[in-house]
């Protein structure tokens, strides 16, 4: 009989079952992402920022619509006027020269209102400002797309971290049970004089080490459960993640990924838009001293009523105007040229940042592509190593039964198989992350990739 083999066999069986789709009680990646879209705090912030895009476009459109303003004033006022040497004429009175006029309205009620409307016809500065607002709206929308993809990748990473933590605890618990059995057997063999006391001590030392590992695994599991629960709104106690087991297709050539990233990477596209915004800012400052033409309409009234030096009095004036207004800035005290110089320096900075971003993205794509390519080979190597470790454990158990292997040999073989199982799980998780990170760098990360992960 080989009683110590069964716990590790059960561990391998549990690991295999955990990777199967449709495992009872397990939550898949698609469900975790669906919940995260409603509860992920960083995504909520990004969604609120995304809401700015439409108001920015509305501002851009409003720059070329008519503007209307109404002003009204009421209060107490005084009006005094004097005129000397005027000419006066009236029917039946002839013409008189050297006439003096005087009016006086003191401590009187005063009302004043004015209605003004304007429609820009030619306004280069406003045109540049409109372009700038539309570019900023484009940046806001692109930032949302980038944040959405980041949230998707973040959810996958948290899900895989939880799956690894759960599997680590399960394998550790199975290994601990196997060592407990070995310890009990060593005690019994020592009692009947079939083995030395050292085997009992070896089993006891390995048992204590595994108990410490189990405590660490429990702490890590609790942390990962809390992180995923916070970002999805799901109950931590109900979270049962599973590691995908599907084999990934070979990666496309590096050159193809570099080209896709150069065209679709959100960071590069955002930096290109930032460069366009900087160019629009230069144009706006350059055009701030340009001639402007507006269609204007004005109407107003001023009325003052009360008493003055010559008795009861009242003054009232009405005015109205419809026409075209020409504005030609002549001198701004150097402000306009200083603003243009500043915007030119910011344009240089934006160009340098775009070049830097392109270089960084190319490096990141290269690293992710290598990780994906080499990661697949690493998974195959670890699968072979796990098979060899299982065979070694079986052979060591047989040798133990016939007295050719010691208890320490058996414990080492069990530990090696557990390590290979966890290393393989970690490699599969990292391979998946490399694939998603490569898609993110190319701006192609979407929910369709989650459907392909089984």
């Amino acid at each position: 009989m080989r009683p110590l083999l069964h716990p590790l066999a059960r561990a391998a069986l549990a690991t295999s079952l955990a990777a199967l789709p449709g495992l009872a009680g397990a939550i898949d990646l698609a469900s975790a992402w669906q919940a995260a879209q409603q509860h992920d705090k960083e995504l909520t912030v990004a969604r609120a920022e995304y809401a700015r895009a439409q108001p920015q476009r509305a501002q851009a459109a409003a720059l070329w619509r008519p503007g209307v303003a109404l002003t009204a004033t009421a209060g107490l006022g005084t009006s005094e006027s004097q005129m000397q040497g005027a000419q006066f004429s009236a029917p039946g009175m002839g013409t008189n020269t050297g006439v003096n006029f005087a009016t006086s309205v003191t401590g009187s009620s005063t009302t004043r209102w004015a209605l003004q409307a304007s429609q820009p016809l030619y306004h280069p500065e406003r045109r540049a400002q409109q372009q700038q607002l539309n570019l900023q709206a484009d940046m806001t929308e692109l930032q949302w797309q980038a944040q959405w993809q980041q949230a998707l990748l973040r959810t996958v990473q948290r899900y895989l971290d939880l799956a690894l933590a759960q599997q680590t605890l399960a394998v550790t618990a199975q290994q601990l049970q196997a060592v407990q059995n070995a310890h009990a057997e060593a005690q019994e063999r020592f009692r009947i004089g079939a083995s030395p006391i050292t085997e009992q001590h070896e089993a006891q030392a390995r048992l204590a080490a595994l108990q410490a590992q189990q405590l660490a695994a429990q702490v890590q599991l609790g942390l990962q459960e809390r992180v995923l629960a916070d970002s999805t709104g799901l109950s931590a106690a109900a979270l049962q993640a599973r590691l995908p087991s599907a084999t990934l297709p070979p990666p496309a050539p590096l050159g193809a990924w570099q080209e896709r990233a150069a065209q679709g990477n959100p960071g590069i596209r955002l930096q290109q838009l930032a460069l366009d915004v900087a160019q629009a800012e230069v144009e706006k400052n350059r055009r701030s001293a340009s001639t402007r033409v507006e269609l204007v309409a004005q109407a107003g009234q001023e009325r003052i009523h009360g008493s003055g030096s010559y008795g009861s009095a009242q003054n009232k004036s009405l005015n109205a105007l419809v026409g075209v207004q020409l504005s030609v800035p002549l001198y701004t005290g150097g402000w306009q040229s200083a603003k243009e110089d500043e915007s030119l320096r910011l344009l240089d900075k934006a160009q340098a940042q775009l070049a830097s971003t392109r270089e960084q993205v190319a490096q990141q794509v290269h690293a992710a592509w290598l990780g994906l390519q080499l990661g697949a080979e690493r998974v195959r190597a670890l699968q072979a190593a796990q098979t060899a470790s299982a065979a070694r454990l079986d052979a060591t158990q047989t040798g133990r039964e016939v007295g050719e292997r010691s208890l320490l040999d058996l414990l080492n073989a069990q530990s090696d198989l557990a390590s290979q199982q966890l290393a393989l799980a970690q490699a599969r998780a990292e391979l998946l992350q490399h694939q998603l990170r490569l898609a993110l760098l190319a701006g192609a990360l979407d929910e369709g990739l989650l459907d392909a992960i089984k």
Side-chain angles (χ1 to χ4, degrees), residues 277-344:
V277 169
Q279 290 174 330
E281 180 69 15
V282 171
E283 188 66 17
K284 184 180 73 172
N285 291 321
R286 184 172 293 157
R287 297 291 185 179
S288 63
S290 299
T291 300
R292 290 166 287 191
V293 180
E294 294 178 292
L295 178 65
V296 296
Q298 299 174 350
Q301 173 185 286
E302 183 174 358
R303 180 178 179 275
I304 182 168
H305 175 77
S307 60
S309 302
Y310 312 107
S312 178
Q314 173 179 307
N315 285 343
K316 180 179 180 181
S317 64
L318 292 170
N319 62 78
L321 168 69
V322 174
V324 176
Q325 177 177 288
L326 176 68
S327 300
V328 183
L330 298 178
Y331 181 62
T332 62
W335 179 88
Q336 185 269 339
S337 59
K339 285 293 293 182
E340 184 178 348
D341 288 343
E342 179 189 12
S343 60
L344 286 171

Side-chain angles (χ1 to χ4, degrees), residues 326-380:
L326 176 68
S327 300
V328 183
L330 298 178
Y331 181 62
T332 62
W335 179 88
Q336 185 269 339
S337 59
K339 285 293 293 182
E340 184 178 348
D341 288 343
E342 179 189 12
S343 60
L344 286 171
R345 302 293 80 75
L346 292 175
L347 177 61
D348 292 340
K349 176 183 176 183
Q351 290 172 334
Q353 287 178 329
L354 176 59
S356 176
T357 301
R358 289 186 183 278
E359 181 179 287
Q360 291 175 5
V361 169
Q363 294 172 354
Q364 292 168 356
V365 168
H366 195 179
W369 185 84
L370 286 176
L372 184 59
Q373 187 178 51
L374 300 179
E377 297 179 6
R378 181 175 176 231
V379 166
R380 287 191 290 271

Side-chain angles (χ1 to χ4, degrees), residues 69-231:
L70 173 66
T71 60
T73 306
L76 298 177
T78 298
S79 176
E80 299 282 347
S81 66
Q82 290 186 354
M83 184 178 295
Q84 297 178 348
Q87 184 183 67
F88 173 79
S89 63
M93 298 181 64
T95 300
N96 300 287
T97 58
V99 179
N100 298 333
F101 289 95
T103 62
S104 175
V105 187
T106 306
S108 307
S109 63
T110 302
T111 59
R112 182 183 301 147
W113 63 266
L115 181 64
Q116 298 178 331
S118 64
Q119 168 66 55
L121 300 177
Y122 178 75
H123 203 308
E125 180 184 7
R126 188 166 290 193
R127 180 68 66 188
Q129 187 178 1
Q130 182 185 43
Q131 180 187 9
Q132 196 173 39
L133 283 168
N134 281 322
L135 287 171
Q136 288 172 347
D138 291 341
M139 288 184 66
T140 301
E141 292 174 349
L142 186 55
Q143 285 170 343
W144 161 251
Q145 297 174 19
Q147 290 295 329
W148 186 90
Q149 293 186 41
Q150 288 284 358
L152 176 56
L153 180 60
R154 185 166 58 246
T155 300
V156 172
Q157 290 174 334
R158 290 170 177 173
Y159 179 92
L160 294 177
D161 287 343
L162 175 60
L164 286 172
Q166 289 174 338
Q167 187 158 346
T168 298
L169 183 60
V171 171
T172 302
Q174 295 291 348
Q175 189 181 8
L176 182 61
Q177 181 62 48
V179 175
Q180 287 174 339
N181 292 342
H183 182 255
E185 180 187 351
Q187 286 181 319
E188 178 62 22
R189 290 169 65 90
F190 174 73
R191 187 185 66 80
I192 63 176
S195 65
I197 189 64
T198 54
E199 287 197 347
Q200 185 176 341
H201 292 330
E202 289 167 351
Q204 181 64 42
R206 188 63 58 89
L207 184 62
L210 281 172
Q211 288 171 338
Q213 291 179 21
Q214 185 181 47
L215 291 174
Q218 289 172 342
V219 171
Q220 184 64 20
L221 176 60
L223 292 175
Q224 299 302 335
E225 284 178 341
R226 176 62 185 273
V227 169
L228 188 60
D230 286 346
S231 64

Side-chain angles (χ1 to χ4, degrees), residues 23 29 34 49-51 64 75 81 93 97 102 133 157 168 250 270 304 306 320 363 398 425 433 448 454:
L23 182 65
L29 266 172
Q34 184 177 5
E49 177 69 16
Y50 170 61
W64 290 95
S81 66
M93 298 181 64
T97 58
L133 283 168
Q157 290 174 334
T168 298
L270 278 171
I304 182 168
Q363 294 172 354
T398 302
Q433 290 177 17
K454 304 297 183 183

